[in-house]
Amino acid sequence: MASKPETILKELKSGKFSPIYFLQGEEPFFIDKITRYIEENALPPQDRGFNQILMYGKDVTVSQILNNAKRFPMMADRQLVIVKEAQNIPDLGKEEGANLLMGYLNNPLPSTILVFAHKYKSLDKRKKLGKELDAKAIVVNAEKVPEYKLGPYIEGYIKEKGFTIDARACQVLAESIGNNLEVLTNEIDKMLINFPEPAEINTDHIQKYVGISKDYNSFELTKALSFKDVLKANKIIRYFGQNPKANPIHPLLGLFYLHFTRILLVHANKNLPERDLAGLLKVNPFFVKEYLAAAKVYKLGKIIDIVGYLKEADLRSKGVDSNMEEHETLKELIFKILH
């Protein structure tokens, strides 16, 4: 059965290494993180020269990989073979290559750690190789973190570093950067190195060290829409228009769709307690009152209209029946939502 990235990292940090790792999935961040940890910790530095082999999928066949994996370590207890970009191995998806790998799965060399970093996609579990890997290797499915889980992910990542973050700051990071984990964690890391000791991160810190305005960001825009704060919404849109490359329309459209879908759920579940409603909306309980207030501002029919406006804006932003600039499309969309 496939394991979660955090489970495998915990095992590795405890010193437990297995003969075969197959790291696969759409989120390269987790695959890179596990691969990097194994590369830096599986062998002591003095053993790496002769016993650490790095290969790239497009340059090797399954047979060449296994020839290296079957080699005994030189003057060491074990060797490490890493195949990066394993999704490009030319014969991995072919019968001959699959059979060779399945043969090795049945009798791996105990002194070899073999790692496949298979990015952006996963093997078909219905096929024999997928089933055999699942049964006989450590398989990690690295999935994208969905938008609604970014808040808990950010909180957990910052907690690992010994810091905390308030709910508003967490939401600003999630909604402004999105679920590109490499970018997100790089920005967090760059921010945290400015603190001599652990602290609680707030929006002032994010503005100072990440460069996301605490007043003019996507989080504040959705909040302004929730309360129909026309003046604030227009100020933010004007701010976005001054730097359109930093504020592209497509992530905003996705955010608006999620936001108004949540308001729609509130309409359908008005009698739920706030804690249960937070679970249904998949938000921090801190933000439930905003959605309850927004449901009073936006009647059901208006939300249905807004979903139509979002679809129309998406098509226009892609050049369908429109020559409008992204900023103008966004301005028009906000006007329709608010009026």
Side-chain angles (χ1 to χ4, degrees):
M1 182 177 289
S3 301
K4 293 183 177 180
E6 54 268 28
T7 302
I8 298 307
L9 280 166
K10 188 175 180 180
E11 289 180 0
L12 292 170
K13 288 175 182 178
S14 72
K16 182 181 177 182
F17 290 87
S18 297
I20 305 171
Y21 292 88
F22 199 90
L23 316 174
Q24 62 179 358
E26 295 181 354
E27 181 48 75
F29 175 80
F30 295 123
I31 295 172
D32 287 339
K33 188 173 183 179
I34 295 171
T35 304
R36 186 165 54 248
Y37 187 88
I38 295 173
E39 190 172 358
E40 293 173 356
N41 295 277
L43 303 180
Q46 65 270 20
D47 291 347
R48 293 174 192 168
F50 292 111
N51 296 295
Q52 188 158 299
I53 301 166
L54 180 61
M55 313 172 87
Y56 287 87
K58 67 182 179 63
D59 299 324
V60 292
T61 62
V62 173
S63 176
Q64 290 170 319
I65 294 166
L66 298 182
N67 284 341
N68 280 281
K70 292 173 182 176
R71 179 176 81 95
F72 287 97
M74 294 182 64
M75 298 176 290
D77 293 329
R78 60 189 177 195
Q79 69 158 351
L80 173 63
V81 179
I82 297 176
V83 187
K84 295 189 175 183
E85 310 295 341
Q87 71 278 7
N88 296 325
I89 299 170
D91 58 343
L92 184 62
K94 297 177 180 178
E95 185 177 357
E96 183 180 354
N99 287 336
L100 284 171
L101 182 52
M102 285 189 287
Y104 185 77
L105 288 170
N106 289 322
N107 190 27
L109 194 66
S111 58
T112 293
I113 300 171
L114 175 58
V115 181
F116 291 90
H118 189 277
K119 293 182 180 180
Y120 310 115
K121 56 185 178 181
S122 299
L123 294 182
D124 191 339
K125 283 187 178 181
R126 296 169 298 180
K127 293 186 177 179
K128 193 171 181 181
L129 177 57
K131 292 177 181 177
E132 288 291 298
L133 280 165
D134 210 32
K136 297 172 181 176
I138 300 296
V139 176
V140 175
N141 284 337
E143 299 176 349
K144 286 279 188 185
V145 176
E147 300 286 349
Y148 69 86
K149 288 186 177 180
L150 271 182
Y153 177 82
I154 292 168
E155 289 175 356
Y157 185 82
I158 286 178
K159 187 178 179 181
E160 281 181 16
K161 305 285 185 178
F163 291 74
T164 57
I165 184 169
D166 69 39
R168 185 166 177 258
C170 185
Q171 199 74 2
V172 167
L173 277 176
E175 295 190 357
S176 299
I177 298 177
N179 67 345
N180 184 326
L181 296 190
E182 184 176 0
V183 174
L184 180 62
T185 54
N186 281 344
E187 291 296 341
I188 292 172
D189 290 344
K190 284 192 294 183
M191 173 174 60
L192 297 185
I193 61 173
N194 293 282
F195 294 87
E197 57 186 31
E200 181 177 60
I201 304 302
N202 57 40
T203 52
D204 288 325
H205 297 137
I206 291 171
Q207 178 166 318
K208 183 176 181 180
Y209 298 119
V210 183
I212 300 171
S213 169
K214 67 177 182 178
D215 298 312
Y216 301 102
N217 56 66
S218 53
F219 169 76
E220 291 297 333
L221 178 55
T222 55
K223 186 176 179 181
L225 294 178
S226 291
F227 295 99
K228 277 201 172 182
D229 188 335
V230 177
L231 179 61
K232 185 175 181 180
N234 282 313
K235 281 183 177 179
I236 296 171
I237 290 300
R238 190 158 51 246
Y239 178 85
F240 284 1
Q242 292 168 356
N243 191 4
K245 287 186 178 179
N247 301 282
I249 191 172
H250 292 107
L252 289 171
L253 293 177
L255 183 60
F256 295 158
Y257 180 79
L258 178 62
H259 188 71
F260 284 100
T261 300
R262 285 172 173 162
I263 300 171
L264 194 62
L265 283 171
V266 173
H267 274 288
N269 298 274
K270 290 180 179 178
N271 298 322
L272 274 183
E274 287 190 18
R275 181 170 294 277
D276 293 340
L277 197 55
L280 178 68
L281 302 181
K282 298 174 180 174
V283 298
N284 187 308
F286 178 84
F287 297 108
V288 170
K289 283 185 170 55
E290 177 186 331
Y291 286 102
L292 288 168
K296 293 178 181 178
V297 173
Y298 294 94
K299 303 304 179 187
L300 189 59
K302 178 64 175 179
I303 296 175
I304 293 170
D305 289 341
I306 288 170
V307 172
Y309 301 152
L310 291 171
K311 183 178 179 180
E312 183 182 70
D314 182 55
L315 290 172
R316 286 186 173 180
S317 69
K318 294 170 181 173
V320 178
D321 297 327
S322 174
N323 293 318
M324 291 173 68
E325 296 288 334
E326 279 193 4
H327 175 58
E328 293 302 318
T329 300
L330 186 58
K331 277 176 62 178
E332 183 181 278
L333 171 64
I334 296 303
F335 179 85
K336 287 181 176 178
I337 290 173
L338 292 172
H339 301 284

